[in-house]
Structure formats: structure tokens, C-alpha cells
Amino acid sequence: QQQVKQSPQSLIVQKGGISIINCAYENTAFDYFPWYQQFPGKGPALLIAIRPDVSEKKEGRFTISFNKSAKQFSLHIMDSQPGDSATYFCAAYPGGTSYGKLTFGQGTILTVHP
Amino acid sequence: GAGVSQSPRYKVAKRGQDVALRCDPISGHVSLFWYQQALGQGPEFLTYFQNEAQLDKSGLPSDRFFAERPEGSVSTLKIQRTQQEDSAVYLCASSFSGRGHPLPYHYNEQFFGPGTRLTVL
């Protein structure tokens, strides 16, 4: 059962443009939503994360928007750079006192052209 | 080292062979996770350790998969009688806190190793 659905599968953006990746979840027990960035040959690395009691979180050029009622969240990369070219995964887990078993989306391959 | 390390980085096995994949977590991290990442897919949970105790092995795809963490630090994922469908990248992650520790969310951040790419011929 696919509990976190991610789109698009791939995305091509020009340098300076905005990259937008969307995710939707089903399990209402999820209450922590991290985004991971993965470069070829490397493990995923935490990029930014949000809790569902806020609707938006911004860190530099990266912003997460969260819609709890729709069970959807998205990553926006402003002023996209060629160095942002990587695979991005949304994820979810029940935080707090749980041990944090992550459920990942399928991933989006982002290519930023110079 | 400062991060999670895994070895070997690449492993080629003939179908039917047994393999062992090693994970060295960040020192002092209580939690250790194994994930399987098929080509073009997101990582999928395999198993979870809190110190030496294996608290969740619900993601292990068959009884050919076995994981251990006997002293609460290094972990080994063993796959017996490998099959072609076992070909994937196996990721290990560790985090500072464990179950029942209501610390701020960032203490639960999982730090991933680079993975072991297993190819079964």
C-alpha cells in the first residue's frame, strides 16, 4: 500500500526558476514530514521538515507548504540552481514518542539547466 | 568518522549465494534502521533496532533476510540464498533517540549512510 504519493517523477527547470514537488499522504497517524535530497551514490540527506501544526516553513531557498485538511504537502525551491539537481523524496512518520519509521514517496528527479 | 558508514559499497553475488552487509552508525546513536531502495524508487523500511533489541522487523521481505546488532552499535544485514529480486541499494540510518523518548523532533533525525549496492546475477 502506497501511503505517500509523490509527483512529478521528473522535473526539468531552468536556472533561476521555481521547482515544485507535491506529495499526498493517507495515514492520519503521520505527524512529521521531512524532505530528503539524494545525490547519485549517496544516501538521502535531510533538507527541511515540517510538523502539521504549521502551514509553511521556509529555510533559505527551500519552502514546505502543508495542507493538513487535504493531507498534502509540497516543496518549493526558489531560484533553482544547477547544484540543486538531485533526487528529492518526501517522507512521513509518526513522531513524538514513536521511533520514527519513515515512509517515503517515490522520488522526483530534478534537473536544473544552467 | 562523523557519519554513518556502510561496507561493502558494491556487492555482486550469484543467485543462491549468501551476503552480509555491514553498517557502522554514528557513535552514541540509539536507533538503527535498514531500508531497501529499488532502482528509481524511494527507500522502503526493512527493520529497526533500539540499541541491541530488534523492535520491528515487519519490512523484511522474507525469512531469507536477517539482521542483527549484538552490541548495540555495528549492525549486519544478512541475505541468504540471494535472488535477482534482492538487487537493490541497502541503506542504513541511525538516529540519536529511540522509542519512548519524547525529545524534540530533530533528535529523531535519521542520518543515512551511502548504501550498499547489491547486484544479484
Side-chain angles (χ1 to χ4, degrees), chain B residues 20-42:
Chain B
L21 312 180
R22 176 186 170 105
C23 172
D24 284 82
I26 294 173
S27 178
H29 276 195
V30 168
S31 294
L32 186 145
F33 304 80
W34 284 98
Y35 293 87
Q36 181 190 59
Q37 185 175 21
L39 187 65
Q41 299 296 315

Side-chain angles (χ1 to χ4, degrees), chain B residues 11-25:
Chain B
K11 177 69 178 178
V12 178
K14 292 183 179 178
R15 189 175 60 177
Q17 281 185 329
D18 298 348
V19 298
L21 312 180
R22 176 186 170 105
C23 172
D24 284 82

Side-chain angles (χ1 to χ4, degrees), chain A residues 25-41:
Chain A
Y25 64 98
E26 299 168 3
N27 188 346
T28 55
F30 292 145
D31 74 346
Y32 187 57
F33 301 88
W35 285 87
Y36 285 82
Q37 181 187 55
Q38 186 176 31
F39 292 103

Side-chain angles (χ1 to χ4, degrees), chain A residues 31 38 41 51 93 97 99-100, chain B residues 9 37 56 100 105 108 110:
Chain A
D31 74 346
Q38 186 176 31
R51 292 177 55 178
Y93 75 67
T97 58
Y99 63 82
Chain B
R9 292 294 314 276
Q37 185 175 21
D56 188 344
Y105 283 93
N108 285 333
Q110 294 181 32

Side-chain angles (χ1 to χ4, degrees), chain A residues 73-95:
Chain A
F73 57 111
S74 61
L75 175 70
H76 296 233
I77 306 174
M78 311 299 288
D79 187 26
S80 299
Q81 299 296 312
D84 297 331
S85 297
T87 301
Y88 292 81
F89 295 96
C90 60
Y93 75 67

